[in-house]
């Protein structure tokens, strides 16, 4: 409580920062590391397997990667991301990992405190963001080593815990602990204020701020900005803490730059069908875990309905299967659809997801298979949920079926909650007629700075900018840090 009160006093003062982040997941942590003066250089005598990149890195080894032309360095790189800077930073840290290689990083890190930029990282959860909300035993889709952040390999941290990787993958609990440990180990705690909710981010003119605040603003910003370049607009960031008594304590802070790093787990997608708001219909996997704990569902109950054909739906099926809970699984795609995630995963690396895919193929309502207590309904969609817990489905030919269920889990993806932005951030998206979506409609950013094309001073990182894997969100952090260093004139001549 004492710590919380100190944090409240800290934030309740009208305070000016060069940069404020909304979101403290891996992309926010990585950016905080880069803005705290930790600077990457090409390691002397190291050899990168990409000969053209090696030649470029040798041209100016004494110049930090942050200060080099990121577009030039990333030109010609190919990989599993559409972002050139994401590919660049990933291949510098893990040179040949996609080819099964184990070459060491070609980066060396120097702490240069005089290059640090004052910043504040706001988040609901402790550092690690949504990883603290995921059931701890769930394993990562990515290899465990790909979950690591700069200059502290995840595998090394896990060895110290005297544990290994399962199938080369890590549990959500380990990842959440690692991110918290990283913030402490790298001395970043002072930048992180968690337990906060941001309610509004908007541009205001410096003149509109009270005289007292304006004086503080001027004093703090003078050291950050060229004397010839005075900005008339800043961002006002409003939000609140929840106190131990459950009260809300509000704060307002000001920043020249704001980084959106909130991820996409806030708003689960709804089907938009009749009865979806009934109490037995849920949109998060945690509801099934809770129902098992309270014995609301079990081996003798009516089936649990799981809607969706992504990895969260698969995790729910595996969990239910482990608890001997009967399942009806409904999804719109064909089982052989190449767009189905299961058709894109290597079988050897993801045996449990391969098992779910086999169940989806072999245990349909029309054709009994070897898996008890599971029925697959491919190319079906939900028409309605009834108050009597009867659910109506329709197949591709228009035929309808009704099933009695115990509970429903609609696990068809999620969207970011950008309610703190004007018009929910829609004006910032690639298609400004549709809500922001990490896969279909990310925020439109410059690929080499990650600054929003529609709003200068506002940046977007991670899934909001279309980077959905931890190994690739770090390239976005590199791009933002490089851009901010140039803005506040912290680049060496």
């Amino acid at each position: 409580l004492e710590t919380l009160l100190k944090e409240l006093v800290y934030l309740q003062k009208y305070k000016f920062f060069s940069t404020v982040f909304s979101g403290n997941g891996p992309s926010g942590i990585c950016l905080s590391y880069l803005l705290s003066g930790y600077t990457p250089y090409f390691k002397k005598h190291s050899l990168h397997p990409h000969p053209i990149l090696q030649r470029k890195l040798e041209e100016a080894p004494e110049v930090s990667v942050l200060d080099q032309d990121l577009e030039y360095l990333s030109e010609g790189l190919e990989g599993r991301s559409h972002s050139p800077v994401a590919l660049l930073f990933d291949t510098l840290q893990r040179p040949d990992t996609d080819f099964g290689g184990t070459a060491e990083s070609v980066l060396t890190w120097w702490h240069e405190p005089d290059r640090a930029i004052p910043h504040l990282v706001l988040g609901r959860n402790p550092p690690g963001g949504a990883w603290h909300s995921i059931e701890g035993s769930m394993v990562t889709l990515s290899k465990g080593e790909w979950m690591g952040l700069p200059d502290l390999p995840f595998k090394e941290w896990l060895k110290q815990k005297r544990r290994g990787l399962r199938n080369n993958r890590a549990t959500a609990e380990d990842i959440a602990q690692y991110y918290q440990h990283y913030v402490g180990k790298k001395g970043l705690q002072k930048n992180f204020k968690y337990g906060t909710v941001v309610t509004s981010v908007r541009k205001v003119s410096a003149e509109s701020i009270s005289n007292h605040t304006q004086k503080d603003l001027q004093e703090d910003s003078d050291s950050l900005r060229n004397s010839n370049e005075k900005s008339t607009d800043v961002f006002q960031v409003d939000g609140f803490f929840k106190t131990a008594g459950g009260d809300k304590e509000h704060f307002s802070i000001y920043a020249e730059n704001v980084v959106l790093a909130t991820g996409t787990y806030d708003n689960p997608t709804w089907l938009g069908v009749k009865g979806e708001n009934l109490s037995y219909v849920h949109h998060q996997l945690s509801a099934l875990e809770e129902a098992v704990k309270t014995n609301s569902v079990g081996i003798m109950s009516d089936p649990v309905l799981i809607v969706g054909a992504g990895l969260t739906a698969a995790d729910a099926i595996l969990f239910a299967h482990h608890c001997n809970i009967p399942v009806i699984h409904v999804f719109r795609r064909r089982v052989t659809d190449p767009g189905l995630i299961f058709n894109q995963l290597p079988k050897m690396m993801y045996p449990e997801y391969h098992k779910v895919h086999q169940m989806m193929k072999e245990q349909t309502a029309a054709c009994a298979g070897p898996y008890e207590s599971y029925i697959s309904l491919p190319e079906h969609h939900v028409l309605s949920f009834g108050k009597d817990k009867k659910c109506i489905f329709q197949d591709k030919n228009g035929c309808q079926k009704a099933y009695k269920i115990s509970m429903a889990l609609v696990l068809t993806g999620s969207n970011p909650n950008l309610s703190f932005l004007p018009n929910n951030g829609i004006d910032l998206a690639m298609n400004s007629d549709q809500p922001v979506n990490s896969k279909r409609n990310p925020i439109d950013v410059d690929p080499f700075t990650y600054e929003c094309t529609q709003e200068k001073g506002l940046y977007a990182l991670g899934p909001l900018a279309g980077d959905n894997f931890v190994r690739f969100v770090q390239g976005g952090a590199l791009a933002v840090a490089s851009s901010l260093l140039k803005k506040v004139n912290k680049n060496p001549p």
Side-chain angles (χ1 to χ4, degrees):
L1 181 60
E2 186 180 341
T3 305
L4 180 63
L5 289 171
K6 283 179 184 173
E7 308 243 337
L8 280 169
V9 170
Y10 181 74
L11 278 183
Q12 280 172 329
K13 289 180 181 176
Y14 282 98
K15 183 71 179 169
F16 181 84
F17 290 86
S18 171
T19 307
V20 170
F21 313 175
S22 179
N24 63 3
S27 52
I29 296 171
C30 184
L31 181 54
S32 178
Y33 179 68
L34 292 167
L35 294 186
S36 297
Y38 290 96
T39 310
Y41 290 86
F42 178 55
K43 196 190 296 176
K44 281 182 183 176
H45 311 303
S46 57
L47 191 63
H48 198 285
H50 194 295
I52 297 174
L53 180 57
Q54 173 74 17
R55 197 159 62 245
K56 290 177 181 177
L57 292 167
E58 288 173 344
E59 288 172 8
E62 73 289 350
V63 178
S64 162
V65 174
L66 280 169
D67 304 321
Q68 295 196 40
D69 183 339
L70 299 181
E71 184 171 2
Y72 171 66
L73 288 180
S74 59
E75 190 178 18
L77 295 178
E78 295 180 352
R80 299 182 184 181
S81 171
H82 298 298
S83 163
V85 186
L87 290 174
L88 171 65
F89 201 36
D90 184 62
T91 194
L92 292 174
Q93 295 191 97
R94 290 170 280 269
D96 56 356
T97 189
D98 281 334
F99 302 101
T102 55
E104 284 189 10
S105 168
V106 298
L107 295 177
T108 183
W109 292 87
W110 291 85
H111 190 210
E112 301 172 341
D114 58 317
R115 300 193 70 193
I117 295 175
H119 62 279
L120 186 65
V121 189
L122 304 174
R124 292 173 188 257
N125 294 315
W131 286 97
H132 292 280
S133 306
I134 299 170
E135 205 280 316
S137 63
M138 294 295 176
V139 291
T140 59
L141 173 61
S142 297
K143 286 184 179 180
E145 64 205 66
W146 292 351
M147 308 302 290
L149 296 175
D151 203 32
L152 183 63
F154 177 73
K155 264 189 175 178
E156 282 185 20
W157 175 82
L158 206 57
K159 273 183 193 169
Q160 292 169 6
K161 306 279 284 183
R162 299 190 175 178
R163 285 207 296 282
L165 295 169
R166 197 169 104 202
N167 248 7
N168 284 324
R169 289 148 70 203
T171 67
E173 182 180 14
D174 281 339
I175 295 298
Q177 287 181 10
Y178 164 77
Y179 290 145
Q180 271 196 279
H181 173 80
Y182 186 93
V183 168
K185 177 85 173 172
K186 299 299 182 184
L188 309 178
Q189 306 100 312
K190 64 184 181 298
N191 304 318
F192 283 75
K193 308 296 169 197
Y194 67 89
T196 61
V197 176
V198 173
T199 54
S200 172
V201 174
R202 60 196 174 94
K203 271 262 177 89
V204 295
S205 67
E207 289 76 21
S208 69
I209 304 167
S210 71
N211 292 334
H212 171 70
T213 310
Q214 178 63 28
K215 183 172 179 291
D216 291 344
L217 187 74
Q218 193 64 50
E219 287 171 359
D220 283 337
S221 63
D222 277 348
S223 62
L224 296 167
R225 196 187 289 126
N226 257 330
S227 57
N228 298 328
E229 186 188 338
K230 297 296 180 186
S231 172
T232 55
D233 288 336
V234 293
F235 289 97
Q236 180 174 326
V237 181
D238 297 318
F240 64 85
F241 273 103
K242 274 197 177 171
T243 66
D247 296 326
K248 290 180 181 179
E249 293 283 351
H250 294 269
F251 63 82
S252 287
I253 50 181
Y254 297 92
E256 282 187 301
N257 305 285
V258 169
V259 181
L260 306 175
T262 53
T264 65
Y265 296 100
D266 292 319
N267 288 337
T269 307
W270 283 47
L271 301 173
V273 301
K274 183 183 175 185
E276 194 172 1
N277 58 347
L278 291 168
S279 60
Y280 70 90
V281 183
H282 305 272
H283 296 82
Q284 290 179 316
L285 174 55
S286 55
L288 178 59
E289 295 157 5
E290 187 60 32
V292 169
K293 279 181 192 170
T294 59
N295 295 317
S296 304
V297 294
I299 191 169
M300 300 304 292
S301 59
D302 287 326
V304 169
L305 171 66
I306 296 172
V307 184
L311 297 177
T312 307
D315 286 335
I317 290 162
L318 289 166
F319 184 78
H321 190 64
H322 176 72
C323 299
N324 296 313
I325 295 166
V327 167
I328 297 171
H329 184 199
V330 173
F331 49 99
R332 287 177 176 268
R333 294 179 186 259
R334 288 177 293 114
V335 182
T336 54
D337 188 327
L340 205 66
I341 185 67
F342 307 103
N343 291 316
Q344 301 168 23
L345 297 176
K347 292 178 185 176
M348 293 296 288
M349 190 171 166
Y350 303 98
E352 76 279 36
Y353 290 140
H354 174 59
K355 179 181 179 180
V356 171
H357 196 208
Q358 286 294 112
M359 292 164 72
M360 291 163 68
K361 283 190 221 174
E362 297 176 16
Q363 190 86 13
T364 63
C367 175
Y371 302 101
E372 289 183 25
S373 304
Y374 171 88
I375 295 173
S376 163
L377 295 176
E379 298 183 271
H380 281 65
H381 64 273
V382 177
L383 283 183
S384 66
F385 297 100
K387 289 180 181 176
D388 55 359
K389 293 193 177 180
K390 274 190 182 169
C391 185
I392 312 295
F393 310 116
Q394 184 170 294
D395 68 13
K396 61 178 179 177
N397 300 316
C399 296
Q400 295 185 8
K401 302 180 177 75
Y403 284 90
K404 184 87 161 47
I405 61 174
S406 59
M407 66 184 295
L409 294 171
V410 178
L411 303 172
T412 54
S414 57
N415 292 303
N417 178 4
L418 298 177
S419 59
F420 56 87
L421 292 174
N423 198 23
N424 291 298
I426 290 174
D427 301 333
L428 304 174
M430 298 280 282
N431 177 358
S432 57
D433 294 328
Q434 296 291 326
V436 173
N437 180 279
S438 64
K439 292 187 175 69
R440 295 180 295 277
N441 194 32
I443 289 176
D444 190 8
V445 297
D446 181 294
F448 299 103
T449 66
Y450 278 62
E451 190 168 22
C452 298
T453 56
Q454 301 300 324
E455 184 69 87
K456 297 307 170 192
L458 193 63
Y459 294 79
L461 273 183
L464 293 178
D467 294 333
N468 290 294
F469 291 97
V470 169
R471 63 183 284 202
F472 293 127
V473 303
Q474 299 172 55
L478 179 76
V480 174
S482 176
S483 172
L484 291 172
L485 282 163
K486 289 181 177 70
K487 275 189 179 183
V488 299
N489 203 22
K490 292 261 183 175
N491 293 72

